[in-house]
Amino acid sequence: EEDSEEEPKLKYERLSNGVSEILQSDAASCMTVHDKFLALGTHFGKVFLLDIQGNATQKYDVSSVKINQISLDESGENVGICSEDGKVQVFGLYTREGFHESFDCPVKVVALHPQFSRSNYKQFVTGGNKLLLYERNWLNRWKMLVLHEGEGTITNVKWRANLIAWANNLGVKIYDFSTKQRITNVLRDNVSLRPDMYPCSLCWKDDTTLIVGWGTSIKICAVKERNPTEMRDLPNRYVEIVSAFETEFFICGLAPLADQLVTLFFVQDPMNQMDEEDRARPRLDIIQPLPESCEEISSDALSVRFYQDNECRDYRLEHSEGESLFYIISPKDIVVAKERDQDDHIDWLLEKKKYEEALMAAEISFKNIKRHDVQKIGMAYINHLVENGDYDAAARKCQKVLGKNMELWENEVYRFKTIGQLKAISQYLPRGDLRLRPAIYEMILHDFLKTDYEGFATLIREWPGELYNNMAIVQAVNDHLKKDPTNSTLLTTLAELYTYDQRYDRALEIYLRLRHKDVYQLIHKHNLFSSIEDKIVLLMEFDKEKAVDMLLDNEDKISMDKVVVELDGRPELLHVYLHKLFKRDHHKGQKYHERQIGLYAEYDRPNLLPFLRDSTHCPLEKALEICQQRNFVEETVFLLSRMGNCKRALQMIMEELGDVDKAIEFAKEQDDAELWEDLISYSIDKPPFITGLLNNIGTHVDPILLIKRIKEGMEIPNLRDSLVKILHDYNLQILLREGCKKILVADSLSLLKKMHRTQMRGVRVDEGNICESCHSAILPSDMAQTFSVVVFHCRHMFHKECLPSSGTIPGLQFCNICSAKRRGPGSGILEMK
């Protein structure tokens, strides 16, 4: 076979055993194939029955000259043989009874009816100069019928179902045995070739498709049923050539392979540039027929024995339909071609070093492969990757290939250690339910500890602590820390190891020293609050926000008083803690509010005034003293107003702050006439203050009082605008009052009309109503009698005699139920008589 990167479609082996011995002293002339056995004819007139392996099981001495053709029926129980000296034998393999005849001319072909053993007539055909049909009649005698003659020697015949196809010097004919009609004549294309040197090849693909190969031409003929309306005197069937194309070389044999063709070629082309030796080798091609051409799928040159001495007529191709086996017959050699199975495909991939594809193919077809093992292929792939230096890919494949085989895993780990590539395999080691010995993991950790601190830390984080002896690794890390005591990677890893070992206090010390972000998670997860009581300052220095949140969330474990004591020497940290505590609950830390005044004044003045506003436990005198000492005017003003000294507070706003807007806002908040008077008195000689007052006091103080007190000739900025604003505000107030008055009057009138309509409606009184006083029926049983009923607008009803006295207002009565406590409209009287 030619060496190519394209995978071959077929594989080949010689048919040996008994065949080799036969062909040493004789030469093969023909062969036919059955699913159960083979029948081989030789040039010395012998017929051998062979098993599939080529062992001879039976021998028949038929003639002394060449056997031309052997035919078997479908059952394989009957055989037909013809030879060059005119002998024809048709007999049962188990009975030897049948037809034995000698003719005076060579018989080239013989074909049994496919159902020969089941048929009562035992039909078969032979071909020499004529095509003869033989069948046995009811007297057990053989009857002969000439089907065709006069067109030269019959060189090939094939019988399938009810159709007989044969070839002579002029072309190929097809005979319909069921209708006793010849239905077609396919003419021979290249008439310059000698039919005896380049014989016709015939092959039935199925019951209605015939493949014809002659010289370099191939035709595919489909036998079809003719439309009954078109029959007239024509046969019931006709043949349509569905594909016809030329090939490069001479055809020796044809066989179907699904929708493709297996073609045996005799190579004899002077234009071919191959070596002389290669040119004579026969070729077995798989081609895809197209309507007018073909596509080559694969092509293999076959090195059959003594191929240099063979001609086109010396080769034959036979096939076994059941197993897709193809037999290439030459005088001194028989080669078997078969479709490559998945094992063969994997063999080819391994040979081409396509290990990944081979592994994938084995995994997909693991139930069908017989000679290969998925794990062995995987190991070969790993070895290949290691040899090529692709250690990471090799390690990654270990995870898939080695599976649960611990012995193989350990062997691979030691191999990677030998080549110095433990790092490559470390991330793929088993770490779940399936685990290696602890020594394996420790060996890898020690290797990382010597060369790669970061990689070591990564493994400690990723590997569960139970994979290895934790104490041994802790000791190794401590040994390295003696050489490099400040290495943060090693210290962090040591803290993680202590955590695995439940020595949380040691881990906490390291985390605090490193100011590691996981310290708070460690405290919460393992409830280490008792261990941090003396480390609160360290935690606060690391991250104030997280530390305070943690302390406040866990007051039941670390009390507020304990935290305050610990932070006593660090007032800036204490302030952060107490400030957050106050934000959460204004009353919880009330005993520290006095101290907080100084802390706010020192470290957080913007939050001092909100604190003074929200706190109800803050000593005002102490707060006032601190604010006055530090000259905090806004805070002092607030405290003075809260202590009732509003005059002094207003004075500070005007004198210290000089902010008229703030002074006016303060006066509005207090809503005290004396404060307004003080404000006006203070502002009367200050034009900017007068402007501010004119713009803002219109709704609180009569502006006339201020205007009258302004001295003549005083220049006041924006006086005109201020007066316009006052007048505009006044007009707006008048409009608002008028609008409200109109709405009030309209609503009152609407409600009065509604009440009048309601009270003017009639009230239904019937037998179902009762007196609310005596609880008897309101109407008498005898309507002819005189009666008096009182009905109130509230729908309560009374007999007149049951009503109490009218009260203090003569002639006006009220419902004593609705007006027990309150009297008003809606309970007036409606009297019926």
Side-chain angles (χ1 to χ4, degrees):
E1 298 180 10
E2 296 178 355
D3 186 20
S4 171
E5 281 302 314
E6 185 176 351
E7 182 180 2
K9 303 295 182 183
L10 302 171
K11 62 178 178 178
Y12 302 89
E13 61 182 16
R14 278 192 167 84
L15 196 62
S16 55
N17 299 322
V19 171
S20 301
E21 297 177 9
I22 294 169
L23 298 184
Q24 281 180 1
S25 57
D26 205 338
S29 60
C30 62
M31 191 173 85
T32 191
V33 177
H34 190 268
D35 291 342
K36 300 176 183 177
F37 62 93
L38 312 174
L40 173 66
T42 71
H43 279 264
F44 289 171
K46 296 179 177 57
V47 173
F48 295 90
L49 298 185
L50 312 170
D51 62 18
I52 302 301
Q53 285 75 35
N55 297 302
T57 59
Q58 190 73 36
K59 175 184 174 183
Y60 301 100
D61 290 316
V62 177
S63 173
S64 59
V65 296
K66 176 184 174 184
I67 302 295
N68 284 327
Q69 192 164 5
I70 303 172
S71 176
L72 296 168
D73 66 350
E74 288 183 356
S75 68
E77 297 176 359
N78 296 275
V79 62
I81 305 168
C82 64
S83 60
E84 192 67 20
D85 59 359
K87 288 183 179 178
V88 176
Q89 295 188 16
V90 177
F91 57 88
L93 293 175
Y94 307 107
T95 62
R96 291 291 291 167
E97 296 178 0
F99 180 88
H100 299 270
E101 190 67 53
S102 294
F103 297 90
D104 57 359
C105 65
V107 178
K108 298 292 184 181
V109 294
V110 64
L112 303 187
H113 190 295
Q115 302 296 328
F116 186 89
S117 61
R118 299 182 183 178
S119 170
N120 293 327
Y121 299 102
K122 305 297 182 185
Q123 296 101 337
F124 66 92
V125 293
T126 64
N129 295 326
K130 303 174 183 180
L131 183 67
L132 304 177
L133 170 66
Y134 291 88
E135 62 180 3
R136 194 161 56 184
N137 60 20
W138 62 280
L139 293 174
N140 209 24
R141 294 178 181 176
W142 292 97
K143 174 185 173 183
M144 181 183 72
L145 174 66
V146 178
L147 296 182
H148 185 68
E149 63 179 331
E151 293 185 359
T153 304
I154 309 297
T155 57
N156 201 346
V157 65
K158 295 290 181 182
W159 193 335
R160 177 78 174 244
N162 289 319
L163 298 174
I164 305 172
W166 69 93
N168 57 29
N169 293 346
L170 299 183
V172 175
K173 315 310 192 269
I174 299 178
Y175 180 80
D176 187 347
F177 189 74
S178 60
T179 61
K180 310 299 183 185
Q181 291 177 308
R182 198 174 76 188
I183 60 176
T184 192
N185 179 21
V186 181
L187 295 177
R188 175 182 169 200
D189 288 338
N190 194 342
V191 295
S192 63
L193 297 175
R194 288 173 52 187
D196 59 330
M197 296 297 292
Y198 299 94
C200 176
S201 297
L202 297 177
C203 174
W204 286 102
K205 180 180 179 181
D206 52 44
D207 289 351
T208 59
T209 305
L210 178 67
I211 306 169
V212 180
W214 209 332
T216 59
S217 172
I218 293 179
K219 294 178 180 177
I220 300 177
C221 308
V223 180
K224 298 184 177 181
E225 297 290 337
R226 196 182 298 276
N227 191 323
T229 60
E230 301 175 357
M231 281 187 181
R232 302 176 194 164
D233 298 329
L234 299 173
N236 294 345
R237 295 182 177 185
Y238 69 98
V239 170
E240 179 182 338
I241 298 177
V242 295
S243 177
F245 51 89
E246 291 292 319
T247 61
E248 187 178 359
F249 306 112
F250 297 107
I251 299 160
C252 304
L254 296 167
L257 178 62
D259 61 340
Q260 299 170 341
L261 285 181
V262 178
T263 311
L264 180 63
F265 288 118
F266 174 70
V267 180
Q268 189 179 40
D269 186 358
M271 299 303 293
N272 199 312
Q273 299 301 313
M274 292 188 296
D275 295 336
E276 185 68 29
E277 182 177 328
D278 290 337
R279 191 177 304 144
R281 288 197 297 170
R283 275 179 37 169
L284 192 69
D285 289 8
I286 297 178
I287 59 176
Q288 178 68 58
L290 302 173
E292 297 181 357
S293 63
C294 66
E295 178 185 349
E296 183 182 288
I297 306 300
S298 72
S299 179
D300 300 319
L302 308 178
S303 297
V304 298
R305 292 191 180 102
F306 304 108
Y307 63 86
Q308 301 90 340
D309 303 330
N310 296 336
E311 298 291 341
C312 183
R313 62 183 176 182
D314 295 323
Y315 292 108
R316 296 202 181 193
L317 177 65
E318 299 290 339
H319 73 286
S320 170
E321 297 181 6
E323 300 181 23
S324 295
L325 296 175
F326 305 93
Y327 294 85
I328 298 94
I329 301 105
S330 67
K332 289 295 183 180
D333 203 359
I334 298 175
V335 176
V336 184
K338 61 179 68 175
E339 283 190 279
R340 296 171 64 86
D341 58 19
Q342 200 64 13
D343 281 300
D344 300 314
H345 175 57
I346 293 170
D347 281 334
W348 184 83
L349 291 171
L350 293 175
E351 180 185 339
K352 298 297 180 181
K353 299 190 181 300
K354 298 182 178 182
Y355 292 97
E356 186 167 9
E357 295 176 39
L359 181 59
M360 188 181 302
E363 288 171 343
I364 293 171
S365 308
F366 71 96
K367 291 183 179 179
N368 299 324
I369 56 177
K370 300 173 182 177
R371 294 186 285 105
H372 289 286
D373 178 73
V374 174
Q375 194 169 69
K376 289 181 179 178
I377 295 171
M379 290 301 300
Y381 186 22
I382 292 171
N383 294 336
H384 172 71
L385 291 171
V386 170
E387 289 170 4
N388 290 344
D390 194 352
Y391 302 112
D392 186 67
R396 188 165 56 250
K397 283 297 172 188
C398 287
Q399 208 169 20
K400 184 177 184 180
V401 172
L402 304 183
K404 298 181 179 181
N405 192 320
M406 294 297 99
E407 183 180 352
L408 286 178
W409 265 112
E410 293 193 6
N411 290 340
E412 286 304 306
V413 171
Y414 284 117
R415 178 165 74 157
F416 274 74
K417 181 180 186 302
T418 304
I419 60 178
Q421 292 295 329
L422 279 177
K423 290 181 182 178
I425 201 171
S426 62
Q427 57 185 314
Y428 303 109
L429 291 182
R431 60 184 77 169
D433 296 335
L434 191 70
R435 296 173 182 174
L436 307 178
R437 291 182 296 113
I440 300 294
Y441 300 100
E442 291 168 21
M443 177 178 70
I444 294 173
L445 289 173
H446 282 295
D447 184 75
F448 269 89
L449 194 53
K450 291 175 185 176
T451 57
D452 182 3
Y453 287 162
E454 291 295 336
F456 174 76
T458 301
L459 289 184
I460 293 297
R461 281 194 298 272
E462 293 179 353
W463 284 1
E466 57 268 19
L467 288 181
Y468 48 85
N469 185 334
N470 199 63
M471 291 304 299
I473 303 302
V474 167
Q475 183 59 47
V477 174
N478 279 319
D479 291 342
H480 280 265
L481 280 171
K482 290 175 183 176
K483 304 172 188 175
D484 188 3
T486 60
N487 189 292
S488 60
T489 303
L490 285 181
L491 286 170
T492 304
T493 309
L494 183 60
E496 291 173 359
L497 290 168
Y498 281 138
T499 303
Y500 293 145
D501 207 26
Q502 298 184 359
R503 289 192 280 176
Y504 304 118
D505 52 340
R506 303 289 296 275
L508 184 61
E509 287 179 11
I510 296 173
Y511 279 140
L512 286 173
R513 197 166 92 191
L514 294 174
R515 300 197 171 194
H516 196 278
K517 60 182 177 58
D518 290 343
V519 65
Y520 300 102
Q521 181 183 353
L522 181 71
I523 294 168
H524 277 289
K525 186 175 180 180
H526 301 292
N527 196 20
L528 303 179
F529 296 99
S530 59
S531 301
I532 63 168
E533 289 182 351
D534 57 345
K535 300 179 179 64
I536 293 174
V537 173
L538 284 174
L539 288 169
M540 292 283 287
E541 286 177 340
F542 175 33
D543 190 328
K544 298 183 185 68
E545 296 297 322
K546 281 189 177 181
V548 170
D549 287 340
M550 182 187 70
L551 293 169
L552 293 177
D553 290 341
N554 297 275
E555 282 186 64
D556 56 328
K557 296 165 185 171
I558 300 182
S559 68
M560 176 179 60
D561 296 333
K562 177 65 177 173
V563 175
V564 172
V565 170
E566 285 294 319
L567 297 177
D568 190 58
R570 297 291 298 275
E572 73 280 8
L573 300 178
L574 178 61
H575 164 68
V576 175
Y577 174 76
L578 292 175
H579 172 65
K580 276 219 168 186
L581 175 64
F582 180 74
K583 286 290 185 184
R584 288 198 180 192
D585 190 335
H586 293 345
H587 308 288
K588 188 169 280 188
Q590 59 183 351
K591 61 182 176 180
Y592 299 111
H593 284 195
E594 181 177 348
R595 187 171 184 182
Q596 279 186 270
I597 300 169
L599 293 173
Y600 275 111
E602 181 69 28
Y603 302 107
D604 190 10
R605 184 188 170 184
N607 282 313
L608 175 57
L609 186 57
F611 171 73
L612 294 173
R613 289 182 191 278
D614 295 337
S615 174
T616 58
H617 307 286
C618 176
L620 300 179
E621 294 83 359
K622 177 71 173 176
L624 181 61
E625 179 185 347
I626 292 174
C627 292
Q628 286 177 337
Q629 286 175 356
R630 295 177 178 268
N631 198 25
F632 292 168
V633 178
E634 291 184 19
E635 291 81 356
T636 304
V637 168
F638 169 76
L639 290 169
L640 287 171
S641 67
R642 191 165 175 183
M643 295 170 71
N645 195 351
C646 295
K647 252 185 171 183
R648 173 63 184 146
L650 181 62
Q651 184 182 355
M652 285 192 71
I653 294 172
M654 292 186 294
E655 291 179 357
E656 307 247 354
L657 296 178
D659 188 342
V660 64
D661 294 329
K662 197 164 187 123
I664 293 169
E665 190 66 33
F666 181 75
K668 287 180 181 179
E669 287 178 4
Q670 303 303 320
D671 197 18
D672 186 346
E674 289 185 12
L675 279 181
W676 283 110
E677 180 63 30
D678 291 343
L679 180 56
I680 293 171
S681 299
Y682 180 80
S683 305
I684 203 66
D685 58 348
K686 300 176 180 64
F689 275 48
I690 292 175
T691 303
L693 286 171
L694 288 173
N695 287 335
N696 291 284
I697 69 170
T699 56
H700 295 274
V701 180
D702 188 354
I704 300 299
L705 296 176
L706 174 61
I707 294 170
K708 285 181 177 180
R709 296 175 65 176
I710 299 174
K711 296 177 182 179
E712 286 189 20
M714 180 180 286
E715 186 176 338
I716 299 172
N718 301 317
L719 177 60
R720 187 188 65 179
D721 295 340
S722 300
L723 292 175
V724 170
K725 184 176 183 301
I726 289 172
L727 293 174
H728 182 269
D729 290 347
Y730 179 74
N731 288 333
L732 185 61
Q733 288 183 11
I734 295 300
L735 289 173
L736 285 172
R737 287 178 182 176
E738 289 178 355
C740 291
K741 181 180 177 182
K742 288 179 181 178
I743 293 170
L744 183 61
V745 170
D747 284 352
S748 299
L749 182 59
S750 174
L751 291 171
L752 181 62
K753 289 180 178 178
K754 183 177 180 182
M755 184 182 74
H756 183 261
R757 286 196 305 270
T758 303
Q759 293 185 350
M760 288 299 291
R761 289 176 185 167
V763 179
R764 178 184 176 85
V765 180
D766 57 22
E767 295 82 356
N769 299 108
I770 62 171
C771 172
E772 298 292 344
S773 179
C774 66
H775 300 294
S776 60
I778 197 70
L779 299 178
S781 56
D782 186 4
M783 295 297 292
Q785 295 180 3
T786 303
F787 66 94
S788 296
V789 174
V790 177
V791 181
F792 290 94
H793 290 297
C794 61
R795 302 302 189 262
H796 290 132
M797 303 177 186
F798 297 88
H799 294 125
K800 188 171 184 180
E801 58 269 18
C802 294
L803 273 175
S805 60
S806 59
T808 57
I809 305 175
L812 184 62
Q813 289 184 317
F814 295 93
C815 173
N816 63 327
I817 294 174
C818 296
S819 305
K821 293 184 178 180
R822 181 178 177 184
R823 301 185 178 211
S827 59
I829 189 170
L830 181 67
E831 186 173 344
M832 293 179 59
K833 293 186 178 181

